[in-house]
Amino acid sequence: MTDTDIPWWKTAVLYQIYPRSFADSNGDGMGDIAGIIDHLDHLDWLGVDGIWLSPVTVSPNADWGYDVADFCAVQPDLGTLAEFDRLVAEAERRGIRILMDLVPNHTSVEHPWFVDSRSSKTAEKRDWYVWADPGPDGTPPNNWVSSFGGPAWTLDPATGQYYLHNHLSEQPDLNWWSDDVREAFDDVFGFWFDRGVAGFRIDVCNVIIKDAELRDNPPSTEDDDFDVQLFGQQPVYNGNRPEVHDVLRRWRKLTDATDPPRLLIGETPVKVAALAAYYGDGTDELHLAFNFPFITAPFEAEAMRRIVEDTEEHFPAGAWPAWTGSNHDMSRFSSRWAEGDGAKIRTALVMLLGLRGTPVLYQGDEIGLGDRAMAHEDMRDPLGVAYFPAYAGRDAMRTPMPWRSGPGGGFTEAGARPWLPLGDDDGATVEEQRNDPDSVLAFTRRLIALRRETPDLQTGSYRSLPSPAGVWAWRRGDSVTVVLNLTGDDTELEGVEGRVVLDSRNRRQGTAIRGPLTLGPWESVIVVG
Ligand code: GLC
C-alpha cells in the first residue's frame, strides 16, 4: 500500500461539535451553524481534519436533535440549508471534512412517517415502526425496557396497539425489517452526500434491528455489568441482533460506491469482543466504531492496556480502531480520567493521539474542559430533568464552549442567556490558552502536528512493551515509542532509545535518552528512534 492508498480518515484527527453549545452567531443564546463557520479557523489552526456534527436536522428537541422530524432539512434555530452548504464549503477550503449525525433507530413522534403510521392500523407507513398488540391483560407486548428507563412500549389509544421506543416515548423505533425504511434511508444518505458531506456518525447503530418475534429479554444475573443489572434484563432481543449486519453491509456498499467513498462511524456501546463484529470482515461494514469499554475504563495502565490489546486482538485485519475520551453523553475525560489535573489531561491526550486508530476529540477537550456543575433548574437534558438527583443527566458535558473570559464567554453576546450555563469563568478559555505556550491547547496542537509529521504515529502497528506497574508503554511501527506514567510517583523504564519528540511536561523535547527513561508523576513522552 502506498501512502496515497491510505484513506483520509485513518490519518485524521476528528472533532465532535455539539452545535447548540459551540458558538452562537445571532445572540439567541444557542449555538448555530453560522457560529461554527465563524470558528473554523480555530479548528484549522488546531489541525483538525474532520468534524462530526451532532444533529442539525429538524427536531422538536425532546432529546435535543436526536428525535428527528425531518432527516433532510436543517433545524431552523440552528440555521438554514444554505448555511449548511456554506459550512461544508468553508470547511473544505481549510481541508476539513464535515460528517453528519444519522439517527436511523428512531424518529420523532412528529416525523410525518410516524404521524402517518399511528393514524390507523392500515396506514401506508404502519409497518415503518414496531407496533404490537397488548398482552392478554392489556400490558405491553413484552418485557423490554427503554435504555432511558421504564417500559420500551407506549400504548397508542387510537389504534389500541403499543409502539416500541428504546429511548424516550417521543422517539418511536423504526422497523428495520421494512424494505421501505431501508430505501428511505438510502435516500437520506444520497441527499447529504450530494451536499458534500464526508460521511456519517450513526446513532446507536447496534440496536436498529429487533427480534422479529419480539421475544422477552432474559433476566440479568449477578455476573452482568452494573448497567445491565440496573435494567434487570440482558438486552438480547431488543438490539445487537445478527441481522443488523445486513443493514451495515448495505450502507457500506452504498458509501463505497460514492465518489469519493464516504465514511461510516458507528455508535456501538458494546463489549470489545462484540465490537469487532461491527467491522464485518474488516472491509464490508463500519469503517470506525466507537470503543465504549475504553471510554468507560478507569485511567489505569493495566485496565487501559488490556482493552487496547483486546481490541487489537479481536479486530479483523483491515479494521481500524477509533479512540475517544468524551462525547455529549459521557462525562468529559478531563473530569472522569483526569480529575481536572493538567498533567493527567496532557497524558490522556497523548494516549488518545498515540494509539493506533483515529482519535475523536470532543469540543473543549483541546483546552481540557471539564464537566460543569449543573443545578436541577438549569438542566435541559430530559434524563437529568427526570432522574435528578439519582442521575444528573448529560448537561454537565454539553455546556457552551468558553471562547474567552467575560459575559457571554465569547459563546454568546454579553447579556444573552446561554441555553445552558457556561459555568464558572475560571480563565480556562480558548483565547487565554492560545496565548500561553504551556497551555493544554498549545500542547494539543503540538501533539496533532507531531502526529501529522510522523507516519508511524499515524499508521504504524501497535505493540505493548514491558513496563513496570502503573506504566503503559507501546511501540508504533518501527520508529515510535509512547510511554505513559499513569501513577503519581516517579518511575523509570529501561530499554527506550531515541530522541524525545514530545514530553507532556514540556521539558526535554529534542533530547536523546541516555540510560533509563525517567518519568515524573503522570508524565508521558513520545520517543522516536
Ligand atoms: C445516542 C445519542 C444520545 C441520544 C440517544 C438516542 O446515544 O448519542 O445523545 O440521546 O442516542 O438517540
Side-chain angles (χ1 to χ4, degrees):
M1 192 183 256
T2 65
D3 277 4
T4 48
D5 292 333
I6 299 173
W8 72 272
W9 46 269
K10 285 196 173 175
T11 57
V13 173
L14 302 181
Y15 184 98
Q16 180 192 357
I17 288 184
Y18 191 75
R20 206 166 283 275
S21 293
F22 194 63
D24 170 20
S25 71
N26 60 4
D28 66 0
M30 269 177 299
D32 45 46
I33 291 175
I36 300 173
I37 298 172
D38 291 343
H39 288 81
L40 282 174
D41 284 339
H42 166 69
L43 301 179
D44 187 22
W45 172 85
L46 186 61
V48 163
D49 304 284
I51 296 169
W52 148 33
L53 284 183
S54 276
V56 294
T57 38
V58 175
S59 167
N61 286 332
D63 190 21
W64 296 107
Y66 286 94
D67 49 319
V68 179
D70 185 343
F71 288 98
C72 296
V74 169
Q75 171 76 350
D77 58 19
L78 298 179
T80 62
L81 206 48
E83 279 168 326
F84 181 85
D85 290 342
R86 194 157 69 81
L87 170 63
V88 173
E90 286 291 326
E92 191 183 327
R93 221 160 55 72
R94 294 164 175 86
I96 299 175
R97 292 169 164 91
I98 300 289
L99 304 157
M100 298 281 285
D101 206 313
L102 184 74
V103 189
N105 180 66
H106 45 265
T107 67
S108 160
V109 275
E110 294 184 18
H111 196 295
W113 298 343
F114 189 69
V115 173
D116 175 79
S117 185
R118 81 185 320 177
S119 66
S120 92
K121 274 180 156 175
T122 54
E124 187 201 332
K125 294 192 169 55
R126 184 66 170 183
D127 77 338
W128 282 42
Y129 293 82
V130 185
W131 292 98
D133 288 330
D137 46 359
T139 51
N142 66 21
N143 73 347
W144 297 354
V145 288
S146 154
S147 59
F148 284 174
W153 296 94
T154 290
L155 182 67
D156 194 42
T159 57
Q161 283 194 312
Y162 279 87
Y163 67 87
L164 178 71
H165 50 87
N166 263 315
H167 299 87
L168 300 175
S169 60
E170 293 92 339
Q171 294 169 299
D173 279 30
L174 284 157
N175 170 20
W176 273 89
W177 293 99
S178 155
D179 285 333
D180 292 337
V181 168
R182 295 180 187 208
E183 280 162 24
F185 273 87
D186 292 351
D187 292 346
V188 173
F189 277 106
F191 177 85
W192 293 106
F193 291 161
D194 287 348
R195 310 202 91 82
V197 312
F200 285 95
R201 173 267 189 188
I202 304 172
D203 197 61
V204 287
C205 75
N206 57 312
V207 303
I208 60 175
I209 290 251
K210 285 83 189 174
D211 180 46
E213 295 167 40
L214 304 179
R215 279 170 284 186
D216 275 349
N217 278 331
S220 54
T221 71
E222 56 190 23
D223 296 333
D224 285 320
D225 288 348
F226 172 74
D227 54 330
V228 173
Q229 292 195 42
L230 202 65
F231 287 114
Q233 58 181 238
Q234 298 168 345
V236 172
Y237 292 117
N238 58 337
N240 307 305
R241 304 304 303 158
E243 298 86 357
V244 69
H245 300 288
D246 297 335
V247 180
L248 296 179
R249 280 190 289 269
R250 175 192 186 102
W251 289 343
R252 180 61 179 260
K253 272 205 195 104
L254 199 134
T255 52
D256 280 351
T258 59
D259 182 21
R262 304 311 211 274
L263 171 65
L264 297 175
I265 312 179
E267 187 199 17
T268 40
V270 297
K271 293 192 168 167
V272 170
L275 183 63
Y278 288 87
Y279 288 85
D281 69 5
T283 63
D284 65 350
E285 294 193 32
L286 295 172
H287 300 88
L288 295 172
F290 283 115
N291 192 320
F292 280 78
F294 176 83
I295 302 176
T296 54
F299 196 38
E300 292 165 10
E302 285 70 25
M304 287 286 185
R305 179 171 45 221
R306 200 183 51 245
I307 289 166
V308 169
E309 287 175 353
D310 279 358
T311 302
E312 291 281 346
E313 192 186 309
H314 280 99
F315 274 21
W320 192 253
W323 304 112
T324 192
S326 318
N327 64 37
H328 65 293
D329 295 327
M330 313 298 292
S331 163
R332 288 175 171 280
F333 82 73
S334 159
S335 298
R336 187 167 26 83
W337 285 339
E339 297 154 315
D341 179 286
K344 295 183 191 175
I345 292 171
R346 286 171 176 78
T347 286
L349 287 162
V350 173
M351 172 178 73
L352 287 167
L353 283 123
L355 287 168
R356 183 185 81 101
T358 300
V360 186
L361 299 176
Y362 177 46
Q363 67 184 45
D365 281 353
E366 74 272 36
I367 55 168
L369 187 65
D371 299 337
R372 299 295 204 189
M374 187 71 49
H376 194 202
E377 62 267 23
D378 289 331
M379 289 181 184
R380 309 297 291 262
D381 175 20
L383 303 188
V385 172
Y387 297 126
F388 184 83
Y391 174 56
R394 300 167 291 181
D395 293 305
M397 39 279 196
R398 296 177 176 179
T399 57
M401 271 293 274
W403 292 100
R404 57 172 186 269
S405 287
F411 165 72
T412 187
E413 285 168 14
R417 185 160 188 261
W419 81 293
L420 279 174
L422 278 148
D424 291 341
D425 187 352
D426 53 10
T429 65
V430 173
E431 184 178 73
E432 176 151 325
Q433 293 199 15
R434 262 186 92 132
N435 297 325
D436 173 4
D438 287 328
S439 65
V440 173
L441 179 59
F443 182 75
T444 309
R445 182 168 182 252
R446 263 206 308 283
L447 194 50
I448 292 176
L450 177 68
R451 205 181 137 91
R452 189 169 278 176
E453 69 205 27
T454 315
D456 268 345
L457 254 188
Q458 289 186 312
T459 54
S461 57
Y462 169 93
R463 181 164 58 88
S464 297
L465 297 174
S467 48
V471 176
W472 180 17
W474 66 86
R475 190 85 172 147
R476 294 291 313 282
D478 297 328
S479 66
V480 175
T481 306
V482 182
V483 188
L484 317 179
N485 177 9
L486 299 185
T487 76
D489 301 320
D490 291 326
T491 189
E492 279 189 2
L493 186 66
E494 302 279 352
V496 181
E497 287 172 12
R499 195 169 48 88
V500 175
V501 289
L502 186 113
D503 179 337
S504 64
R505 281 198 181 179
N506 204 9
R507 57 177 178 149
R508 50 182 158 175
Q509 257 102 227
T511 62
I513 297 167
R514 310 218 180 281
L517 173 69
T518 58
L519 291 167
W522 296 100
E523 187 174 10
S524 47
V525 294
I526 301 180
V527 174
V528 168

